[in-house]
């Protein structure tokens, strides 16, 4: 008699869970004022940098891109660099989708 098929729960690659937590936290605190957006971007950059410590491969690459994107958003808002905040935010959103696809396919 054959045994039932055992299925193991999916285990996400390292860095995925803290990166998800960072994105969720960003979405909770971003607000509509310039100051809240600056603070949220800085906090998200720090969270992604921390998440990168437990990541590897493609997940590491996308998490470090997200850290850079959040940093750039903060720099634009503070006037440290010129640039289009909305364009960078859109790019960060696309990178979040890439992160999701990398984290959920394992």
């Amino acid at each position: 008699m054959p045994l039932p098929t055992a299925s193991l729960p999916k285990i996400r690659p390292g860095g995925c869970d803290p990166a998800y937590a960072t994105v969720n936290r960003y979405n909770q605190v971003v607000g509509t004022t310039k100051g809240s957006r600056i603070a949220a971007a800085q906090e998200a950059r720090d969270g992604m940098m921390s998440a990168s410590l437990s990541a590897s491969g493609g997940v590491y690459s996308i998490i470090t891109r997200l850290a850079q994107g959040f940093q750039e958003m903060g720099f634009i808002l503070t006037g440290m660099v010129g640039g289009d905040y909305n364009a960078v935010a859109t790019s960060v959103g696309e990178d979040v989708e890439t992160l999701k696809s990398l984290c959920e396919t394992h």
Side-chain angles (χ1 to χ4, degrees), residues 3-103:
L3 295 173
T5 304
S7 85
L8 297 173
K10 286 186 178 183
I11 298 174
R12 284 196 278 265
C16 290
D17 290 337
Y20 281 3
T22 297
V23 170
N24 291 337
R25 172 75 179 152
Y26 173 82
N27 288 332
Q28 291 172 351
V29 301
V30 68
T32 57
T33 67
K34 183 177 179 179
S36 70
R37 290 187 292 167
I38 291 168
Q42 290 171 342
E43 183 179 341
R45 178 209 58 215
D46 293 347
M48 287 299 171
M49 290 175 74
S50 179
S52 74
L53 298 175
S54 61
S56 63
V59 173
Y60 174 82
S61 295
I62 198 67
I63 288 174
T64 55
R65 271 187 38 173
L66 282 163
Q68 292 168 347
F70 283 119
Q71 179 172 308
E72 186 175 0
M73 288 165 61
F75 283 177
I76 290 169
L77 290 169
T78 60
M80 294 175 74
V81 299
D84 183 342
Y85 173 86
N86 292 324
V88 176
T90 297
S91 178
V92 166
E94 292 167 357
D95 288 343
V96 168
E97 292 303 316
T98 300
L99 175 72
K100 288 179 186 177
S101 70
L102 289 171
C103 289

